[in-house]
Each structure stands twice: as structure tokens, then as C-alpha cells.
């Protein structure tokens, strides 16, 4: 049992390391872009610090999101939870709100389009029924 | 026999015990004057002889049990005399209800003995036989004193006269020792014994017992006059607007630390407030009320404001929120009163025409919130504006209103966090703020909400924390530093309340519930998987709050507080 726990621990740790590496790589790419943009160089320690910071902050975000979802008596994390998370920073909140609106809009459109396609491919009666359904959905 | 420790504490309690032990339970004591002297003397004589005897069940039980509480209950069971209105039963009731500890110094055995005698007749008269009799108990002895004095010695006579004085004046216990000090040394100790009957009531509330009676009674006439005057003038809410950091007033500080239950604490505070207000409002010709009047007015208003605050809260936060707030309110009331007084006094001073009711609302909403101890929103009513002129009053009125409406309910929830960490609470502002912010706090329209009001009204409560901060810093601090601390605290509390509001909205609610507070604390890292909210409650809050916050099952399948 202890060995299993240890093995699991090891697995989790290695998984975490992989994730950290991925984050580090992404942060490095972003920093390169910014460096090119601003004409300043980023030292390795800076990139490492930023990536560590990002990783830990992601952990915090995850915990907070879970808490928010549970607080709203839900089991799935919602865009509302994400918005709640980002409320501190105005610009970030605005950005996320816009994005979320965009996403919901896209989803609605996609649904409508799917419904329409299925209607075209069916009989009239089915079309009518589905149209009714689509309308009700919308 | 260890029945009454004559050596250790010859307190009135022991004396009464002795009297009860020795007195004949069946003796009807209706005709007191005739029997008073004789009876007492008989009691005295028999007391010593009977001490060692265990004649009655009560006596034996009392002796056998060490604990007085146990003996008390046994006493009750044993004695069927409670129905009879005898001195014995009355004394018994007193003993049962009186707190265990005796504050007075132990005196010689002889001197305290007469005390029960004096007490007995008074007890006889009172049907309650409880501690509430403080004043009524005192009165009868005065009438009986002459009867007692006849057989009594010179000492007794002196003692009784002092006692009578105290009774006549109805002064609190603390004053008696003062008067006693004036008397000769012989009588002083005796006077103390007379004072002891007053002890039980004050002992129950030790916070009141020792407090020096430096309070002035509220002048009802002046208060009403002030009410009329102030209600006429237009609300001068603008005052607080541009007074972010007014100079602290020395007078305000003591107010903050006063314990709440003492309603009459306004006297001293009011004087301080008045003094502070005078300084501040010297420039602008605020109200014509004299500071003293204001103080008195505030003192009286504080109580009224409580009622207003409750109403206001309910309107702003909804009924459900009120439930949660109520437990706070008891504790909150203290701060409320404090803040109200401060705010009201300031507002009175500042605003020429503060609406009385509106103002009253503000303070209470704010005070309640403030009590939550983090609430800075409402506290702002106390805001700094004392020195500022009337111009701010109107703006402030809007602000505090907004602030009070929403943050109030949120802040009321903060009781969980009032131990929290805000690092050194410091609000230098409070001292200067007192009245104005209160004025602003309660604009006449409780329902309206608008952009979040400015900070001034909130600062009133922050100064409380700034004082803590400066105290714990243990070194002198610049005023700028204190102002900075206050600003930080203000922002901190704003954030907290915003978070609470958002959390409540996130859960689809309009009232802030303890779950929201718990979520906030979790985010702060105070509540973790290892440390739950209940643990923190137990660790930091006083026992009364624990009972209110942590549901506990009691007999009969009932849970308190009701879920």
C-alpha cells in the first residue's frame, strides 16, 4: 500500500513536472515575443520565475474555481466561475467577459446551424417539429 | 466544620447563609419592625451555636457539599419555603441567584452580620427576592433603619445612615465606597457590607461593575429639543465629502474602547465628543446646539438609532440577511452605540439640518456593520469629515447611504472575520470623524443605491482599528503613517465587502450568508482543509458567539441555533 501510494506520488510528481515543463516552454515562447516587441531580453531566471509563478497561480485558480462552483451548488465549473475569478483585474475581466459572450454567441449560432441542417435533410413534418424546437430553444 | 468560612470570606453571602441556617424556617416574618431587632439578635446569638449543628436538611446539605452551586440546588430542593414570603426564602433566592464571587474584601465577622438583618426586611418586602431588587431592596432598609438603629450600636447607625444615603440617591455601587471613604474608618468597612447587596447585579456584568460612574444622565428635555432642532434643518450631508483625514480628536478614543453594554456610557463620551466637536466645528457654523446637548442627544439617540439600524438593515439587505445579522447585533450594538454616538454627535455638529431619522439610520446601519469589525463601508459614516464644513454633507449623504445599504449587509457578515488579520487595524480618522460621518451615513433615502460612495463615511470605524494599530506598534507613529494605514484598511475592507457581495450574487442570493464569509476566508487562506471555520470560531470568538454560530444539538432532538 505504501509502495502504491509512493508510486502514485511519483507518478503525480512526474506528471506535475511535465506540466511545469510545458508551462515553462509556453512562457518562454511568450517572453520571446515580448522581447522582440520591446527590444529587451529576458534572462533565464526570469522566465523560470514567471513559469513557476504561472504554475502555482494555476493551481490556485483551479482550487478557487472548484470552490466557486461548489459555492453555487454545481458540480461543473462554469464561465460564471471564471468571471468571478477574474473580477479583480478590470481589463482581464472585460476581456474574459467579451470572450465568454463571444463563445456563447458562437455556440448558439452553431446550434441554430445544426438545427437548420437537420431540418433541411428531413421531411416537412420533421422540419416543422424541429423548427418549433429550435424556436423554443432560441 | 467548614460551613461558613469565617476566616476566608465573611461576605454577605456567608452571613446570609448563616442567617438562613440559624433562622427558624417556619417563622412568619410579617410584622417586621417589632421582631426585627429581636429576631436579628436572636439569630446572631443562635448563629454561632447552631453553626456546628446540622439541624435542617439544608444546613447539612450545604455543609456537606463544598460547591455553592450544588448547595444552591440542594437548597432549592430542600426548601419548600420558596412559596412563603419569609426572609429566609427571600434570602435564599438571593443566594441562589447571586453570583458566587464576592467582590468586597473580607471583613470582620461581626460587622457583616448586621447586614443580613438589614437586608432581610428588604427582602421581605420584595416579592422577587432576586437581584433585580437592587434599588427596591435598598429602600426598605431605610425605613427599617430606625428600627434597627434602636438596638444597634453607634457603628450600625452610622453605617445605616450611609446606606440610606446611597439608597436615596440611588447611586451605583461604586459610589458607595466613595462615600464610605468619606466616613470614618469604622463605618467604612461596614458600609462596604451594605454595598454588597448591590454587588450581585453588577457582578453578573463585571464589565459594568468596576466602571467609574463618569456618566451623565441623559437630559431628556434637551434631547427632545435637539431632535426638534435637528430635524428641522436640511441634511448637511455634504460635510463629510472632502474630509478624508481630519485631525483626530482626543475625546473620541476613549469612546472606542468602552464596552458596549453600558448604555449610560455616553456621558463621558459625550463630553469628549462635544469637546472634539467643538474644535472641529468651530469654523462652520453648524448647529446651534451646544455640545453638551448634542452629547446628550447623541446618548439618547444611540439607543433609538439601534432600532433604526435594524429597520434600515432589513430594508437594505432583506429579511434573510437580518437573521444572520442578528447574532451580531448584540455584540454589534456596542460598537453601534459607540459609532452612533460619535457619528451622531459629529453629524449633529456638522450638519445644520441633519435629518434626525436619516441620521439615525446611518449610524446604526454603520455601527452594525462596523461591529462586524471589518465593515468599513458603513463605518465611513464616521468618516473624517469632522473638520470639514457643511459642504460635504450632501455628498456624503448619498455616499453613506449607498455604502451603508449594500456593505452593511455584507459587512454584517464579517463577524467571522473580525479577528482577522487586518494587520493592525488603524484608523486615525476615527478620532476626528465622529459626528460627520454618521450624518452622512444615513441619508434619508434608504432604498436608493448608486455608485459606491466615497470613503469618508467609512473612516469612522477605521479609526478604531488605527488606534489598535498605533497601540500595538509600541512606538510613536506619524500621523501620515496612520492615515496611510487607514487608507489601506479602507481599501482592504472595500475589497472584502465587494467579494462578499459578489459571492452572494454568484450563489444567486441577495443576502450575504455565512457560506459567503467562509468562502472568502478560504480564499484568504484562513480556512483550509485542515482548519475549518468552526475551529476558528472556537479559537477566537467569545463563547456567546460560538453558541450562535456553531450549531449544537441539545436534548429533545433540537439544534441550536435552528438551521
Amino acid at each position: 500500500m505504501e509502495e502504491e501510494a509512493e508510486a502514485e506520488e511519483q507518478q503525480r510528481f512526474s506528471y506535475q513536472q511535465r506540466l511545469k515543463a510545458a508551462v515553462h516552454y509556453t512562457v518562454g515562447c511568450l517572453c520571446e515575443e515580448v522581447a522582440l516587441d520591446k527590444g529587451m531580453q529576458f534572462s533565464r531566471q526570469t522566465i523560470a520565475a514567471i513559469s513557476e509563478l504561472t504554475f502555482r497561480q494555476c493551481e490556485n485558480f483551479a482550487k478557487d474555481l472548484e470552490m466557486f462552483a461548489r459555492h453555487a451548488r454545481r458540480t461543473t465549473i462554469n464561465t460564471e466561475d471564471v468571471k468571478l475569478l477574474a473580477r479583480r483585474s478590470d481589463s482581464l475581466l472585460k476581456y474574459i467577459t467579451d470572450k465568454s459572450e463571444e463563445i456563447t454567441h458562437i455556440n448558439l449560432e452553431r446550434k441554430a446551424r445544426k438545427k437548420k441542417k437537420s431540418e433541411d435533410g428531413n421531411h416537412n413534418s420533421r422540419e416543422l417539429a424541429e423548427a418549433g424546437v429550435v424556436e423554443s430553444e432560441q | 466544620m467548614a460551613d461558613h468560612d469565617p476566616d476566608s470570606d465573611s461576605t454577605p453571602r456567608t452571613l446570609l447563609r448563616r442567617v438562613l441556617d440559624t433562622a427558624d424556617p417556619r417563622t412568619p416574618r410579617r410584622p417586621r419592625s417589632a421582631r426585627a431587632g429581636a429576631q436579628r439578635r436572636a439569630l446572631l446569638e443562635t448563629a454561632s451555636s447552631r453553626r456546628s449543628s446540622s439541624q435542617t436538611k439544608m444546613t447539612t446539605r450545604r455543609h456537606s457539599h463544598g460547591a455553592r452551586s450544588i448547595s444552591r440546588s440542594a437548597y432549592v430542593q430542600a426548601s419548600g419555603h420558596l412559596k412563603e414570603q419569609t426572609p429566609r426564602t427571600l434570602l435564599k433566592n438571593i443566594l441562589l441567584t447571586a453570583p458566587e464571587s464576592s467582590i468586597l474584601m473580607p471583613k470582620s465577622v461581626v460587622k457583616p452580620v448586621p447586614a443580613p438583618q438589614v437586608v432581610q426586611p428588604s427582602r421581605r418586602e420584595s416579592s422577587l427576592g432576586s437581584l433585580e431588587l437592587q434599588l427596591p431592596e435598598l429602600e426598605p432598609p431605610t425605613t427599617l433603619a430606625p428600627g434597627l438603629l434602636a438596638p444597634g450600636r453607634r457603628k450600625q447607625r452610622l453605617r445605616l445612615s450611609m446606606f440610606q444615603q446611597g439608597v436615596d440617591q440611588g447611586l451605583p455601587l461604586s459610589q458607595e465606597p466613595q462615600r464610605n471613604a468619606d466616613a470614618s474608618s469604622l463605618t467604612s468597612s461596614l458600609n462596604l457590607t451594605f454595598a454588597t447587596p448591590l454587588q450581585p447585579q453588577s457582578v453578573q456584568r463585571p464589565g459594568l461593575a468596576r466602571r467609574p460612574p463618569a456618566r451623565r444622565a441623559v437630559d431628556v428635555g434637551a434631547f427632545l429639543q435637539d431632535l426638534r432642532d435637528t430635524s428641522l434643518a436640511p441634511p448637511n450631508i455634504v460635510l463629510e465629502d472632502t474630509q478624508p483625514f481630519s485631525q483626530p480628536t482626543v475625546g473620541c478614543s476613549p469612546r472606542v474602547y468602552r464596552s458596549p453594554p453600558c448604555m449610560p456610557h455616553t456621558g463621558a463620551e459625550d463630553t469628549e465628543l462635544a469637546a472634539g466637536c467643538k474644535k472641529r466645528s468651530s469654523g462652520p457654523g453648524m448647529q446651534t446646539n451646544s455640545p453638551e446637548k448634542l452629547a446628550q442627544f447623541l446618548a439618547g439617540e444611540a439607543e433609538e438609532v439601534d432600532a433604526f439600524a435594524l429597520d434600515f438593515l432589513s430594508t437594505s439587505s432583506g429579511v434573510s440577511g437580518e437573521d444572520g445579522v442578528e447574532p451580531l447585533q448584540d455584540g454589534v450594538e456596542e460598537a453601534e452605540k459607540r459609532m452612533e454616538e460619535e457619528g451622531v454627535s459629529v453629524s449633529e455638529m456638522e450638519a445644520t439640518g441633519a435629518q434626525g431619522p436619516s441620521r439615525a439610520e446611518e449610524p446604526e446601519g454603520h455601527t452594525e456593520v462596523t461591529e462586524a469589525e471589518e465593515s468599513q463601508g458603513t463605518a465611513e459614516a464616521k468618516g473624517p469629515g469632522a473638520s470639514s464644513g457643511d459642504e460635504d454633507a450632501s455628498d456624503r449623504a448619498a455616499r453613506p447611504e449607498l455604502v451603508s445599504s449594500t456593505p452593511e449587509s455584507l459587512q454584517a457578515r464579517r463577524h467571522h472575520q473580525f479577528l482577522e488579520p487586518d494587520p493592525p487595524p488603524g484608523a486615525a480618522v476615527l478620532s476626528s470623524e465622529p459626528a460627520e460621518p454618521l450624518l452622512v451615513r444615513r441619508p434619508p433615502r434608504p432604498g436608493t443605491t448608486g455608485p459606491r460612495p466615497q470613503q469618508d463615511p467609512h473612516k469612522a470605524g477605521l479609526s478604531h482599528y488605527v488606534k489598535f494599530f498605533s497601540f500595538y506598534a509600541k512606538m510613536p507613529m506619524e500621523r501620515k503613517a496612520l492615515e496611510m494605514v487607514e487608507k489601506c484598511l479602507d481599501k482592504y475592507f472595500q475589497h472584502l465587502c465587494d467579494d462578499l457581495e459578489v459571492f452572494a450574487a454568484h450563489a444567486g442570493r441577495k443576502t450575504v450568508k455565512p457560506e459567503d464569509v467562509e468562502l472568502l476566508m478560504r480564499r484568504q487562506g484562513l480556512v483550509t482543509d485542515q482548519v475549518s471555520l468552526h475551529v476558528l470560531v472556537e479559537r477566537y470568538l467569545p463563547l456567546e458567539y460560538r453558541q450562535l454560530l456553531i450549531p449544537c444539538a441539545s436534548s429533545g432532538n433540537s439544534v441550536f441555533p435552528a438551521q
Side-chain angles (χ1 to χ4, degrees):
Chain A
M1 326 264 202
E2 290 178 3
E3 295 166 1
E4 288 177 12
E6 263 189 43
E8 204 179 306
E9 193 64 33
Q10 287 276 353
Q11 261 189 354
R12 218 182 298 146
F13 187 66
S14 62
Y15 188 62
Q16 210 181 32
Q17 294 292 72
R18 279 165 52 200
L19 289 173
K20 275 193 189 172
V23 168
H24 185 84
Y25 176 71
T26 315
V27 167
C29 293
L30 287 170
C31 286
E32 265 186 45
E33 284 182 30
V34 174
L36 285 174
D37 192 23
K38 304 284 180 187
M40 299 251 326
Q41 297 298 317
F42 278 84
S43 68
R44 296 217 170 272
Q45 289 87 355
T46 313
I47 297 176
I50 294 175
S51 61
E52 178 75 19
L53 184 73
T54 315
F55 190 78
R56 294 224 188 131
Q57 194 67 340
C58 282
E59 284 185 21
N60 280 342
F61 284 162
K63 289 189 191 143
D64 287 349
L65 284 171
E66 188 197 341
M67 277 199 302
F68 290 150
R70 194 177 304 149
H71 184 249
R73 284 175 279 269
R74 279 187 268 109
T75 50
T76 31
I77 291 177
N78 217 358
T79 49
E80 301 299 319
D81 300 324
V82 178
K83 282 189 212 164
L84 196 66
L85 193 67
R87 76 190 176 289
R88 275 298 162 102
S89 158
D90 291 342
S91 56
L92 184 61
L93 178 64
K94 187 170 177 304
Y95 183 76
I96 287 185
T97 320
D98 293 342
K99 283 285 174 191
S100 76
E101 283 175 9
E102 209 180 306
I103 289 174
T104 48
H105 194 62
I106 289 174
N107 283 347
L108 283 174
E109 282 183 6
R110 218 179 276 160
K111 275 188 194 169
R113 250 181 272 133
K114 276 188 183 171
K115 292 296 175 185
K116 270 192 182 173
K117 280 183 192 167
S118 57
E119 286 174 19
D120 293 341
N122 292 342
H123 302 153
N124 291 344
S125 59
R126 241 196 235 176
E127 286 175 9
L128 286 172
E130 283 177 359
V133 172
V134 168
E135 282 177 352
S136 66
E137 274 184 4
Q138 289 175 352
Chain B
M1 213 181 229
D3 59 354
H4 310 294
D5 332 320
D7 333 312
S8 59
D9 53 345
S10 49
T11 63
R13 167 175 295 276
T14 57
L15 294 171
L16 289 175
R17 285 263 163 82
R18 264 181 239 128
V19 168
L20 285 173
D21 288 346
T22 58
D24 182 2
R26 302 275 183 270
T27 309
R29 303 208 178 225
R30 309 280 144 50
R32 28 186 135 85
S33 54
R35 294 179 289 104
Q39 282 258 334
R40 297 201 193 90
R41 258 190 249 109
L43 283 177
L44 278 174
E45 290 157 10
T46 55
S48 52
S49 61
R50 289 197 196 179
R51 233 174 256 167
S52 51
S53 69
S54 53
Q55 292 173 354
T56 60
K57 279 193 292 184
M58 293 178 281
T59 313
T60 44
R61 269 191 214 170
R62 217 178 313 116
H63 297 336
S64 57
H65 300 181
R68 285 190 180 170
S69 56
I70 300 174
S71 67
R72 271 194 203 153
S73 57
Y75 216 19
V76 175
Q77 298 163 14
S79 69
H81 311 295
L82 288 177
K83 294 136 195 162
E84 303 174 29
Q85 280 296 325
T86 66
R88 166 176 288 275
T89 62
L90 291 169
L91 285 173
K92 233 181 302 170
N93 291 339
I94 292 158
L95 282 178
L96 288 173
T97 55
E100 208 48 60
S101 62
S102 152
I103 295 182
L104 294 181
M105 307 180 318
K107 297 164 286 296
S108 66
V109 177
V110 178
K111 289 175 185 175
V113 165
Q117 299 177 0
V118 180
V119 173
Q120 274 183 0
S122 63
R123 303 285 192 271
R124 227 179 288 147
E125 289 191 3
S126 71
S127 54
L128 301 175
S130 70
L131 296 171
E132 313 307 324
L133 297 178
Q134 189 160 359
L135 283 182
E137 281 171 16
L138 296 176
E139 288 155 18
T142 60
T143 59
L144 292 165
L148 285 174
L149 284 176
R153 292 162 296 189
R154 169 121 185 98
K155 291 182 187 176
Q156 282 186 356
R157 206 171 298 130
L158 283 173
R159 186 168 15 101
L160 285 174
S161 62
M162 298 297 287
F163 189 53
Q164 242 170 322
Q165 288 174 23
V167 169
D168 292 343
Q169 299 172 30
L171 289 172
L173 173 62
S174 55
Q175 301 220 351
E176 287 211 72
Q178 294 170 15
R179 262 178 291 108
N180 297 341
D182 302 336
S184 66
S185 57
L186 279 179
T187 57
S188 61
S189 59
L190 293 178
N191 286 332
L192 281 177
T193 66
F194 280 99
T196 48
L198 302 175
Q199 272 306 326
Q201 193 161 11
S202 53
V203 166
Q204 282 174 353
R205 285 179 284 188
L208 290 175
R210 313 285 162 87
R211 217 158 284 278
R215 303 165 198 139
R216 280 183 284 131
V218 177
D219 182 2
V220 178
F223 168 67
L224 292 175
Q225 183 62 34
D226 291 342
L227 258 184
R228 270 178 250 117
D229 295 342
T230 54
S231 54
L232 291 176
N236 213 347
I237 303 176
V238 187
L239 290 178
E240 297 156 34
D241 204 4
T242 60
Q243 296 295 326
F245 312 106
S246 36
Q247 57 278 17
T249 47
V250 179
C252 300
S253 44
R255 241 178 308 132
V256 172
Y257 298 116
R258 224 155 277 204
S259 86
C262 44
M263 283 303 301
H265 65 160
T266 61
E269 293 177 4
D270 293 335
T271 45
E272 294 162 353
L273 274 178
C277 294
K278 271 183 194 165
K279 299 177 214 161
R280 284 191 304 273
S281 60
S282 55
M286 313 305 297
Q287 292 176 342
T288 55
N289 298 331
S290 65
E292 283 104 304
K293 275 195 175 181
L294 277 182
Q296 289 170 353
F297 170 70
L298 292 175
E301 196 175 8
E303 300 166 19
E304 292 190 359
V305 171
D306 284 346
F308 275 113
L310 285 179
D311 297 341
F312 192 91
L313 257 187
S314 58
T315 55
S316 61
S317 60
V319 177
S320 53
E322 196 75 12
D323 300 337
V325 169
E326 269 167 25
L328 281 180
Q329 285 174 0
D330 300 337
V332 170
E333 287 185 4
E334 309 173 344
E336 274 184 24
K337 303 224 173 85
R338 248 177 304 159
M339 307 210 28
E340 288 172 6
E341 284 183 350
E342 295 172 355
V344 173
S345 58
V346 172
S347 57
E348 287 285 28
M349 301 292 296
E350 300 284 349
T352 50
Q355 316 90 334
S358 62
R359 241 177 312 138
E361 284 180 3
E362 280 179 5
E364 47 175 47
H366 289 283
T367 52
E368 279 198 25
V369 176
T370 311
E371 179 57 23
E373 301 194 6
E374 287 141 330
S375 54
Q376 41 128 45
T378 55
E380 286 197 5
K382 283 199 180 179
S387 49
S388 69
D390 313 344
E391 55 275 11
D392 300 332
S394 56
D395 297 346
R396 291 226 190 114
R399 259 176 284 122
E401 175 188 343
L402 303 175
V403 177
S404 57
S405 53
T406 43
E408 262 178 300
S409 52
L410 296 174
Q411 292 167 0
R413 289 290 150 191
R414 303 298 295 155
H415 64 276
H416 282 278
Q417 293 200 8
F418 69 92
L419 288 181
E420 260 192 40
D422 358 323
V429 175
L430 181 60
S431 48
S432 51
E433 300 166 14
E436 273 185 17
L438 284 186
L439 251 195
V440 180
R441 270 204 240 155
R442 290 291 180 161
R445 26 194 214 278
T448 61
T449 51
R452 189 143 289 227
Q454 290 176 20
Q455 304 178 343
D456 292 347
H458 302 246
K459 298 251 170 82
L462 290 182
S463 66
H464 184 74
Y465 294 103
V466 168
K467 292 202 186 95
F468 285 155
F469 179 80
S470 55
F471 169 73
Y472 285 112
K474 289 188 181 131
M475 39 193 308
M477 298 194 57
E478 281 183 1
R479 183 180 310 173
K480 295 274 182 202
L482 289 176
E483 288 176 359
M484 241 339 109
V485 168
E486 188 188 334
K487 255 200 223 172
C488 295
L489 275 177
D490 191 33
K491 285 239 178 313
Y492 178 75
F493 286 137
Q494 282 271 8
H495 275 306
L496 286 184
C497 294
D498 289 346
D499 283 358
L500 282 175
E501 189 182 352
V502 165
F503 290 159
H506 183 70
R509 280 187 266 107
K510 289 188 189 162
T511 35
V512 180
K513 288 242 144 106
E515 293 87 44
D516 304 322
V517 179
E518 179 159 6
L519 184 66
L520 182 69
M521 295 186 81
R522 195 168 263 280
R523 289 211 77 205
Q524 289 186 325
L526 291 166
V527 172
T528 66
D529 297 333
Q530 282 74 39
V531 178
S532 85
L533 185 63
H534 286 183
V535 169
L536 292 176
V537 167
E538 284 193 30
R539 222 182 263 175
Y540 297 111
L541 292 184
L543 183 65
E544 291 75 22
Y545 283 130
R546 188 199 181 283
Q547 291 167 355
L548 293 171
L549 294 171
I550 299 182
C552 179
S554 56
S555 73
N557 232 10
S558 65
V559 176
F560 176 77
Q563 295 297 321

